């Protein structure tokens, strides 16, 4: 029996990969456009709109039977709320760093989060860092140093008295630590909830929306007229459209991630996450006019290589762990006295929007999650 065209499209690996990659690029470019082109400083307000849009789209897609997720449970929401606060810290610091840094530099420095997560797993979950992972970390640090130096050199004024420090580097440092803390804490706690793909997305966005809206009212100058200045009549329509695009892209990156994993494999998805760094970083040069300096291009390339090395090393490690676990399970009938000492492969919880897998693959935030593409 021949599959219907709609069924073929829904299970198309190529289409799911293109959807995930294009939504990542759209997410980053639209966020950067809002911050740069419109002199936008109400980050909490923007993120609250994105969360609200994601919740509305989730409910709409559920009504259309395209996705499924559990209904809100008050007791679960109370227990999950600290994780949502971690998400708020992660996406806010990410938006502030993107506000001050170019897209290539932002994307390259985000790679450093992987190092923090890897050593956090060593400390708290007994994971191991392989030689290939160490090599990938060297490439990540090197790419960040080269891109950072190139970025600073490109904007050094002729008059030394005009030199000022870019706060984006402080924000990206805070984002790396908050992202790592969020992912590690969620991994530790998620086993108590048995959440599936869109359960996590729904709870995170629903619980973070009122927090970010309240912080926007409190911190972003609503009383002093910041809202009226930001949404001035001459830019109101175009800015509103741009903000709605960021909200839609924040949902589609979550949907595209889940679709990609379902239509491909965890290994393929992991590699795509690494390869996707290149077009996301290049999008800033192509669409936002970021300088295509030698340092930027070299930093992007080294970060690209680092991502591939890390993804391959984690995949190889997961396959070895799986083989070891299978061998151990086969030997249990003959070695019952060692049952208590046997260990199972840990389930790695993915960040917001990314489904969790049992393959031990690296954790990407992107987009994460988050609302800003990784």
């Amino acid at each position: 029996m021949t599959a219907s065209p709609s069924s073929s499209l829904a299970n198309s690996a190529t289409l799911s990969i293109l959807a995930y990659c294009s939504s990542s690029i759209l997410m980053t470019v639209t966020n950067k456009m809002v911050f740069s082109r419109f002199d936008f400083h109400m980050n909490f307000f923007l993120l609250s709109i994105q969360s609200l849009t994601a919740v509305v789209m989730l409910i709409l897609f559920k009504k259309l039977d395209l996705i499924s997720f559990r209904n809100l449970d008050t007791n679960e929401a109370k227990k999950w709320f600290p994780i949502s606060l971690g998400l708020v810290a992660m996406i806010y610091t990410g938006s502030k760093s993107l506000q001050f840094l170019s897209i290539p530099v932002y994307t390259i420095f985000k790679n450093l989060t992987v190092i923090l997560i890897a050593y956090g797993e060593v400390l708290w979950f007994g994971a191991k860092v392989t030689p290939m992972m160490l090599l990938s970390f060297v490439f990540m640090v090197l790419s960040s140093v080269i891109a950072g130096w190139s970025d600073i050199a490109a904007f050094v004024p002729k008059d030394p008295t005009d030199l000022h420090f870019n706060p984006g580097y402080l924000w990206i440092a805070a984002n790396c630590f908050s992202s790592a803390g969020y992912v590690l804490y969620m991994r530790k706690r998620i086993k108590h909830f048995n959440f599936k793909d869109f359960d996590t997305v729904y709870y995170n966005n629903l619980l973070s929306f009122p927090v970010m809206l309240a912080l926007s009212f409190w911190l972003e100058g609503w009383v002093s007229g910041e809202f009226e200045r930001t949404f001035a009549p001459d830019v109101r329509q175009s800015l509103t459209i741009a903000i709605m695009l960021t909200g839609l892209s924040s949902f589609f990156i979550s949907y595209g991630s889940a679709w990609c994993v379902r239509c491909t494999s965890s290994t393929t998805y992991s590699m795509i996450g690494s390869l996707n760094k290149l077009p996301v970083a290049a999008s800033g040069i192509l669409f936002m006019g970021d300088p295509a300096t030698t340092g930027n291009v070299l930093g992007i390339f080294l970060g690209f290589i680092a991502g591939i090395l890390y993804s391959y090393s984690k995949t190889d490690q997961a396959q070895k762990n799986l083989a070891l676990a299978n061998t151990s399970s086969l030997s249990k009938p003959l070695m019952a006295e060692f049952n208590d000492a046997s260990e199972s492969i840990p389930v790695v919880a993915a960040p917001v929007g990314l489904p969790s897998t049992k393959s031990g693959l690296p954790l990407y935030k992107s987009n994460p999650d988050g609302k800003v593409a990784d």
Side-chain angles (χ1 to χ4, degrees):
M1 184 176 180
T2 306
S4 65
S6 59
S7 176
S8 299
L9 289 175
N11 293 290
S12 170
T14 302
L15 194 60
S16 67
I17 291 170
L18 288 174
Y20 168 62
C21 294
S22 58
S23 60
S24 297
I25 295 172
L26 179 64
M27 180 82 212
T28 307
V29 171
T30 53
N31 272 297
K32 183 63 177 177
M33 180 178 66
V34 168
F35 293 133
S36 299
R37 300 281 173 85
F38 297 99
D39 191 26
F40 194 90
H41 301 290
M42 302 180 71
N43 297 52
F44 276 124
F45 180 68
L46 174 65
L47 296 173
S48 66
I49 294 296
Q50 291 178 359
S51 291
L52 179 61
T53 304
V55 171
V56 172
M57 293 297 293
L58 281 168
I59 294 173
L60 176 61
F61 273 48
K62 186 178 183 179
K63 295 284 187 183
L64 297 173
D65 290 327
L66 296 174
I67 61 174
S68 63
F69 55 87
R70 67 180 71 184
N71 295 323
L72 181 68
D73 181 271
T74 306
N75 291 328
E76 285 183 336
K78 290 178 181 178
K79 296 175 182 177
W80 189 263
F81 187 69
I83 298 175
S84 294
L85 290 181
L87 172 69
V88 171
M90 180 183 76
I91 60 177
Y92 179 73
T93 54
S95 71
K96 293 298 290 186
S97 55
L98 185 60
Q99 181 178 339
F100 291 102
L101 297 175
S102 66
I103 292 177
V105 173
Y106 167 81
T107 306
I108 292 167
F109 271 86
K110 280 289 290 181
N111 272 340
L112 298 179
T113 306
V114 175
I115 302 177
L116 297 175
I117 292 174
Y119 281 101
E121 289 180 336
V122 170
L123 291 173
W124 292 321
F125 301 106
K128 294 181 180 179
V129 175
T130 65
M132 186 173 291
M133 289 171 65
L134 284 174
L135 179 61
S136 72
F137 295 163
V138 171
F139 275 97
M140 288 177 192
V141 173
L142 187 60
S143 67
S144 299
V145 170
I146 292 174
W149 181 260
S150 174
D151 181 59
I152 294 171
F155 294 99
V156 170
K158 294 181 179 180
D159 186 357
T161 58
D162 294 333
L163 184 64
H164 65 280
F165 177 74
N166 187 343
Y169 290 103
L170 290 178
W171 284 114
I172 195 65
N175 180 249
C176 288
F177 280 99
S178 60
S179 298
Y182 165 74
V183 170
L184 292 169
Y185 180 64
M186 187 169 70
R187 176 184 171 181
K188 187 177 181 65
R189 294 289 300 162
I190 200 169
K191 61 184 178 182
H192 301 294
F193 294 90
N194 194 29
F195 275 6
K196 303 197 182 302
D197 301 345
F198 289 102
D199 296 333
T200 304
V201 181
Y202 180 63
Y203 269 70
N204 268 336
N205 284 285
L206 187 64
L207 295 177
S208 63
F209 167 70
V211 174
M212 291 188 290
L213 189 61
L215 288 172
S216 177
F217 280 121
W218 183 30
L219 300 173
E220 294 183 333
W222 285 69
V223 177
S224 60
E226 180 65 20
F227 184 85
E228 288 75 13
R229 185 203 66 80
T230 301
F231 288 87
D234 56 328
V235 298
R236 185 176 300 159
Q237 183 176 357
S238 55
L239 177 57
T240 301
I241 293 173
I243 290 176
M244 293 308 298
L245 277 176
T246 68
L248 290 173
S249 61
S250 71
F251 168 75
F252 283 119
I253 193 172
S254 300
Y255 186 80
S257 299
W259 185 16
C260 187
V261 168
R262 180 175 62 81
C263 293
T264 61
S265 66
S266 297
T267 303
T268 302
Y269 175 78
S270 176
M271 293 301 295
I272 292 167
S274 300
L275 298 174
N276 196 40
K277 302 280 186 183
L278 185 61
V280 169
S283 66
I285 298 173
L286 295 174
F287 301 118
M288 299 303 299
D290 294 331
T293 62
T294 302
N296 269 350
V297 174
L298 182 59
I300 292 171
F301 177 73
L302 291 177
F304 174 73
I305 297 298
I308 293 177
L309 288 174
Y310 183 78
S311 177
Y312 177 80
S313 66
K314 290 291 285 185
T315 303
D316 183 62
Q317 187 182 48
Q319 291 173 345
K320 290 178 180 178
N321 288 343
L322 184 60
L324 182 63
N326 289 336
T327 303
S328 176
S329 64
L330 290 173
S331 65
K332 280 180 180 179
L334 301 176
M335 304 180 66
E337 65 272 20
F338 294 108
N339 278 348
D340 292 338
S342 62
E343 295 181 356
S344 60
I345 299 177
V347 177
V348 179
V352 57
L354 305 189
S356 60
T357 70
K358 296 185 180 180
S359 61
L361 292 173
L363 304 174
Y364 292 102
K365 39 98 286 31
S366 181
N367 296 29
D369 326 272
K371 303 302 183 293
V372 179
D374 191 353

